[in-house]
Amino acid sequence: QSVLTQPPSISGAPGQRVTISCTGSSSNFGAGYDAHWYQQLPGTAPKLLIYDNNNRPSGVPDRFSGSKSGTSASLAITGLQPEDEADYYCQSYDHSLGGSNVFGTGTKVSVL
Amino acid sequence: QITLKESGPTLVKPTQTLTLTCTFSGFSLSAAGEGVGWIRQSPGKALECLTLIYWNDDNRYSPSLKSRLTITKDTSKKQVVLTLTNVDLVDTATYYCAHSRQMKYFDFWGQGILVTVSS
């Protein structure tokens, strides 16, 4: 029962652009808290992909980009590659019920 | 370079208490802004943030699990300990510890430890 909702799955052909949405509320994104994104390859630990809405850690390709507006955030992958097939999670802080970090429901990206 | 590693039992019985240890290097949990969190992932499910502890002893807990969770730190040993009481089958999951940057996001993760709850 995550407070951040993502589409369960999306797919795209190599080279295409895909976008993953993360819908929150007034107690997280709407309150000004930032969006962060993680990539989880099968059988591995999550990896930080985007932090503070639109910043990439060193080593993350620039085909990954993020944005936030109002109560939603999104992750875009341009020039989709086979190695991008993974699960993606958004994350933020939610100040309801005492406050805690929360993750999204997760999105499986498939490369056709 | 920041590294973290989880350790503890991989099999526990229902109603028992689960204790996991995160041993880290590359940062000091007494430095301002530093924190360590525990996140779990049930098989085939999403990530769930359980608890965090910060350099100033501030703790945050998942509202749904707060009554069963405790997080503590030993700064000199560079360890953070998670305790989850009265475990149930639904607590079967891979448990990760991760470095919390600026109390906002997790930039380094341990490899995870799969804990199975079964009688």
Side-chain angles (χ1 to χ4, degrees), chain B residues 24 26-36 53-57 73 75 78 99-103:
Chain B
F24 59 86
F27 67 97
S28 172
L29 203 38
S30 59
E34 301 287 8
V36 172
I53 191 165
Y54 297 108
W55 83 101
N56 58 359
D57 291 323
K73 63 181 174 71
T75 303
K78 288 187 173 289
H99 174 258
S100 172
R101 179 75 64 181
Q102 300 173 3
M103 305 178 71

Side-chain angles (χ1 to χ4, degrees), chain A residues 83-95:
Chain A
E83 59 264 32
D84 298 333
E85 187 159 291
D87 293 324
Y88 293 82
Y89 295 92
C90 58
Q91 179 249 313
S92 186
Y93 181 84
D94 190 285
H95 67 214

